[in-house]
Amino acid sequence: QKEVEQDPGPLSVPEGAIVSLNCTYSNSAFQYFMWYRQYSRKGPELLMYTYSSGNKEDGRFTAQVDKSSKYISLFIRDSQPSDSATYLCASPQGGGKLIFGQGTELSVKP
Amino acid sequence: KAGVTQTPRYLIKTRGQQVTLSCSPISGHRSVSWYQQTPGQGLQFLFEYFSETQRNKGNFPGRFSGRQFSNSRSEMNVSTLELGDSALYLCASRRQRQETQYFGPGTRLLVL
């Protein structure tokens, strides 16, 4: 079992839709969670990070962590075609090592 | 502030050759981690360097090595290249005692 699981998609939504991206993790020691966005043939770009359970909002993006069920989510409101990318959840294991999910490929259609 | 830079951006090599990739971290970041990204395995951790010392290592063969210089720039080397080494190699930097890592654009390596 992978330590971080993520549905690879692809996920296709119409412009303006609310997108929900999800990950589950198995290691209770994970305390810190990040979401990265990766455009095709580019490096991952840090979108959001959160340390505790609950919600964290940044513009159209909301990160949610539920440690009791080991479930993390990223919501994108009013999705735009420019949001089309692969979204990766990650958690640090220590020693500079991030454990990544497989990534979810999102396509937002105009 | 300039982001993480990596050179070269693209590389084509043949089996058996060796390759050296370079990474310059964000100014003030002393920790550099390297990752390999493939469609099948996703992003996998190679190693981390801090203050010119390797502090952590992933599950890769000894053909994969790295080093860090006093200005925090880092290089990774892959010897005796195999077809399966074809991948996007990413480096990421972070501040000491912070968990968030910032990635460079990657070096895309193709082994023929």
Side-chain angles (χ1 to χ4, degrees):
Chain A
Q1 181 191 10
K2 288 185 179 290
E3 290 187 276
V4 178
E5 300 269 8
Q6 188 175 5
D7 186 341
L11 180 63
S12 182
V13 302
E15 183 175 354
I18 296 175
V19 176
S20 172
L21 303 164
N22 308 297
C23 291
T24 58
Y25 63 96
S26 57
N27 191 335
S28 299
F30 286 171
Q31 297 291 317
Y32 203 87
F33 303 94
M34 302 159 198
W35 284 96
Y36 286 88
R37 176 176 63 193
Q38 186 174 24
Y39 291 112
S40 180
R41 312 191 83 78
K42 303 282 187 184
E45 170 195 11
L46 180 67
L47 268 180
M48 297 188 71
Y49 58 91
T50 180
Y51 185 74
S52 58
S53 285
N55 293 356
K56 182 177 180 179
E57 193 173 313
D58 184 2
R60 295 186 296 113
F61 299 90
T62 299
Q64 188 175 80
V65 177
D66 182 349
K67 289 186 176 177
S68 62
S69 57
K70 298 189 179 68
Y71 199 82
I72 57 177
S73 301
L74 179 71
F75 298 97
I76 307 175
R77 291 185 300 281
D78 188 26
S79 57
Q80 302 295 310
S82 58
D83 294 327
S84 297
T86 296
Y87 290 80
L88 298 143
C89 59
S91 185
Q93 196 179 56
K97 179 178 182 179
L98 290 177
I99 304 295
F100 282 89
Q102 278 293 94
T104 299
E105 186 181 345
L106 171 67
S107 177
V108 182
K109 304 293 187 185
Chain B
K1 187 185 282 190
V4 177
T5 58
Q6 291 186 246
T7 57
R9 293 294 310 279
Y10 304 93
L11 212 46
I12 300 175
K13 292 287 188 179
T14 55
R15 277 182 302 174
Q17 287 187 310
Q18 74 165 15
V19 67
T20 299
L21 313 180
S22 181
C23 171
S24 292
I26 293 171
S27 177
H29 289 195
R30 295 169 61 193
S31 172
V32 174
S33 294
W34 287 89
Y35 295 83
Q36 180 195 65
Q37 186 176 30
T38 59
Q41 298 298 317
L43 272 147
Q44 292 186 290
F45 173 78
L46 282 155
F47 29 66
E48 187 208 33
Y49 282 86
F50 177 80
S51 288
E52 303 177 63
T53 301
Q54 186 181 93
R55 292 204 302 188
N56 197 6
K57 191 177 189 303
N59 189 25
F60 279 83
R63 300 185 297 107
F64 292 82
S65 63
R67 60 177 176 167
Q68 188 179 35
F69 302 94
S70 58
N71 62 357
S72 296
R73 190 177 69 85
S74 178
E75 289 181 347
M76 70 162 280
N77 182 276
V78 188
S79 62
T80 319
L81 284 165
E82 301 177 0
L83 296 179
D85 296 332
S86 295
L88 180 66
Y89 289 89
L90 294 157
C91 81
S93 73
R94 66 186 177 115
R95 288 190 183 280
Q96 189 179 2
R97 290 189 291 274
Q98 289 192 1
E99 298 289 0
T100 47
Q101 295 185 20
Y102 298 86
F103 283 82
T107 294
R108 189 164 295 278
L109 172 64
L110 177 62
V111 182
L112 301 175

